[in-house]
């Protein structure tokens, strides 16, 4: 009986940890975006567009990638930049004014970190 209780406690602890980590990732992304409000869009472009990550496909062979960038004009004269992660379900959006200053940020996707 004690073994079953210990196993149940371990599972509950594991579930609590998984929940806490998943919530902290969303908060982390929100904080990241809030910290860049008021910055020039080039700051973001330097973070996402430059190839920055190498993935080992096979021993001795790696693949370098960057986020997929898309620019969409908005009817009020502002612009919407979107950055899609090529390997995860995550797209990050930045609204930029006519001076290329970030005014808003938001994201979509279950794998945004």
């Amino acid at each position: 009986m004690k073994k079953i209780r210990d196993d149940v406690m371990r599972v509950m602890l594991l579930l609590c940890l998984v929940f806490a980590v998943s919530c902290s990732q969303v908060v982390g992304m929100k904080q990241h975006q809030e910290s860049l409000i008021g910055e020039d869009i080039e700051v973001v472009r330097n973070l996402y567009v430059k190839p920055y990550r190498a993935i080992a496909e096979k021993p001795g062979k790696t693949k370098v990638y960057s986020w997929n960038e898309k620019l969409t004009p908005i009817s009020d004269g502002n612009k919407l930049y979107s950055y899609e992660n090529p390997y995860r379900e995550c797209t990050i959006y930045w609204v930029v004014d006519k001076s290329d200053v970030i005014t808003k940020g938001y994201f979509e996707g279950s794998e945004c970190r």
Side-chain angles (χ1 to χ4, degrees):
M1 193 67 163
K2 184 177 187 305
K3 177 157 175 30
I4 293 173
R5 188 173 3 148
D6 290 345
D7 289 344
V8 169
M9 291 301 288
R10 284 188 188 110
V11 169
M12 289 177 61
L13 178 61
L14 179 63
L15 289 173
C16 288
L17 287 172
V18 167
F19 178 75
V21 168
S22 65
C23 289
S24 68
Q25 289 176 350
V26 172
V27 170
M29 179 60 75
K30 287 180 184 177
Q31 290 172 339
H32 166 70
Q33 287 192 305
E34 288 171 2
S35 73
L36 292 170
I37 302 296
E39 295 288 338
D40 191 280
I41 190 63
E42 284 303 312
V43 172
V44 170
R45 294 189 82 238
N46 286 331
L47 290 173
Y48 297 121
V49 177
K50 290 182 178 178
Y52 72 97
R53 186 170 181 180
I55 297 176
E57 291 182 329
K58 296 178 183 175
K61 185 177 180 185
T62 58
K63 183 175 171 181
V64 178
Y65 78 90
S66 64
W67 294 63
N68 299 320
E69 180 184 50
K70 182 179 177 184
L71 172 61
T72 306
I74 304 174
S75 60
D76 63 3
N78 292 337
K79 296 176 262 187
L80 177 66
Y81 283 84
S82 63
Y83 296 90
E84 182 181 8
N85 187 313
Y87 298 102
R88 291 193 173 123
E89 185 187 334
C90 181
T91 303
I92 302 173
Y93 300 92
W94 301 96
V95 178
V96 177
D97 67 14
K98 296 171 188 167
S99 302
D100 287 338
V101 174
I102 299 169
T103 60
K104 181 179 177 182
Y106 60 97
F107 58 93
E108 292 178 328
S110 61
E111 297 180 302
C112 290
R113 299 183 212 178

